[in-house]
Amino acid sequence: MIETNDYKNSSKQMDLLDPLKESSVQSIPNKDSFSSRDVPEMLLILDTETTGLNPIEHKCLELGVVLFNVENRAILSQQSFLLPVETNEAERINRIPAEITRLEQPWKKGLEYFEHLLQCSDVVVAHNAAFDRQWFGNGLLPEISQPWLCTMEDISWPKDKALSSRPSVRDLALAYEVPVWNAHRALTDCSYIAEVFRRCDDLEALLLKGLEPRKLVRAEVSYDERHLAKAAGFRWNDPVRGAWTRRLSDSQILELDFSVVCIEIGEQNED
């Protein structure tokens, strides 16, 4: 996964001059067909390493996954493999030389096994899922029909962990006393998240809350109050120019210290 601190944010931005409607009623679901009444049994935690930020111009060169059983807090399977690429513009970040990816190894079998793991999972989990999900159904990686859950955006971590509203994987691991090491590879971040889940007594509640439908909302804050929106994880100019916005569930909105309005921008594109 390429952290936003390593690269400039590549999200599509929309100008406030474009047609948009404000509403306090309509929610924009982001969890596909998953029912929030059911706790997922099997999670497929995944992470990608890529040659850049743009899935049209760049490629995924490594995939890491962990199959995790919620009830038993158990790792059932782990997988990581490289995919062949000609160049890697992000080598300084992931430290994977392109020539290494072209060494002979059974990456096609790796993809087949990944699809088997995908078939037995209820929810796909990623840290910064909006980035990872755009690489699937594009190039060598298959499409994913399961709902996605983002450990950076969707889960409201306990306040006693003193985490930011959009914590890094490293900060999340340290908050749960998971040892961290200096390795920027796909399976590393998957292992961190799995170990965090193993330590969560209230994991089922966190998952259900994280899977609630979300809507894009704009913070109603003045210039002098902008720190409130920033502290709550709202982003300036992303995806709407000239506004502090974030996708939140109804329960998350109730926890805010300021008012928000729902923004409807055509058909919401979650990628």
Side-chain angles (χ1 to χ4, degrees):
M1 171 179 53
I2 298 179
E3 298 277 3
T4 53
N5 289 336
D6 300 322
Y7 285 88
K8 292 189 296 185
N9 194 311
S10 64
S11 300
K12 295 180 180 178
Q13 296 180 330
M14 295 165 280
D15 199 300
L16 281 175
L17 295 177
D18 290 341
L20 58 83
K21 300 177 182 179
E22 297 180 356
S23 169
S24 59
V25 179
Q26 181 173 352
S27 295
I28 304 172
N30 70 323
K31 304 306 172 196
D32 305 325
S33 59
F34 189 82
S35 171
S36 62
R37 294 173 295 178
D38 303 320
V39 176
E41 179 182 354
M42 303 288 278
L43 307 176
L44 191 63
I45 306 168
L46 66 76
D47 188 34
T48 60
E49 295 297 338
T50 63
T51 63
L53 288 171
N54 190 331
I56 297 176
E57 300 176 2
H58 303 112
K59 296 181 179 180
C60 176
L61 79 164
E62 185 179 45
L63 177 62
V65 298
V66 169
L67 186 65
F68 186 89
N69 180 266
V70 174
E71 182 179 1
N72 296 287
R73 304 294 196 272
I75 295 173
L76 304 185
S77 182
Q78 300 182 75
Q79 180 194 32
S80 178
F81 59 95
L82 295 174
L83 297 165
V85 296
E86 291 300 318
T87 61
N88 180 17
E89 296 177 23
E91 182 179 345
R92 68 178 182 85
I93 302 298
N94 53 47
R95 301 177 184 175
I96 305 174
E99 55 268 25
I100 297 300
T101 71
R102 298 194 297 273
L103 295 177
E104 186 175 351
Q105 50 101 0
W107 61 268
K108 291 182 180 180
K109 293 293 185 181
L111 275 176
E112 291 179 11
Y113 184 58
F114 167 70
E115 294 200 52
H116 285 298
L117 294 178
L118 192 58
Q119 288 171 7
C120 67
S121 65
D122 300 310
V123 172
V124 172
V125 177
H127 200 79
N128 195 4
F131 177 81
D132 290 305
R133 71 182 298 175
Q134 64 187 335
W135 303 93
F136 292 87
N138 178 40
L140 297 174
L141 298 179
E143 291 186 5
I144 292 180
S145 59
Q146 285 87 341
W148 286 73
L149 178 68
C150 181
T151 52
M152 182 178 72
E153 294 278 3
D154 296 335
I155 295 183
S156 297
W157 298 102
K159 294 186 184 300
D160 63 358
K161 297 302 179 182
L163 288 162
S164 70
S165 56
R166 301 176 68 252
S168 67
V169 174
R170 179 181 180 277
D171 288 346
L172 181 59
L174 290 175
Y176 280 86
E177 300 182 352
V178 176
V180 299
W181 55 94
N182 186 24
H184 203 292
R185 297 293 294 264
L187 189 57
T188 307
D189 285 357
C190 297
S191 298
Y192 288 156
I193 294 171
E195 289 301 318
V196 167
F197 284 172
R198 286 184 63 241
R199 290 161 167 78
C200 287
D201 294 332
D202 57 346
L203 179 58
E204 288 82 358
L206 290 176
L207 294 175
L208 286 179
K209 192 171 182 179
L211 287 163
E212 292 176 354
R214 277 161 169 70
K215 62 187 103 176
L216 182 65
V217 296
R218 186 185 71 207
E220 294 289 274
V221 294
S222 66
Y223 180 80
D224 292 335
E225 298 171 327
R226 66 191 186 283
H227 64 282
L228 297 176
K230 185 176 182 180
F234 282 66
R235 292 183 178 182
W236 177 254
N237 277 344
D238 180 17
V240 179
R241 290 188 184 276
W244 289 97
T245 57
R246 188 181 179 187
R247 291 173 58 253
L248 296 175
S249 66
D250 288 339
S251 61
Q252 288 176 311
I253 292 174
L254 291 175
E255 297 174 355
L256 295 174
D257 295 326
F258 50 87
S259 300
V260 298
V261 293
C262 180
I263 301 177
E264 179 185 347
I265 310 178
E267 182 177 349
Q268 178 71 11
N269 184 343
E270 296 181 313
D271 293 339

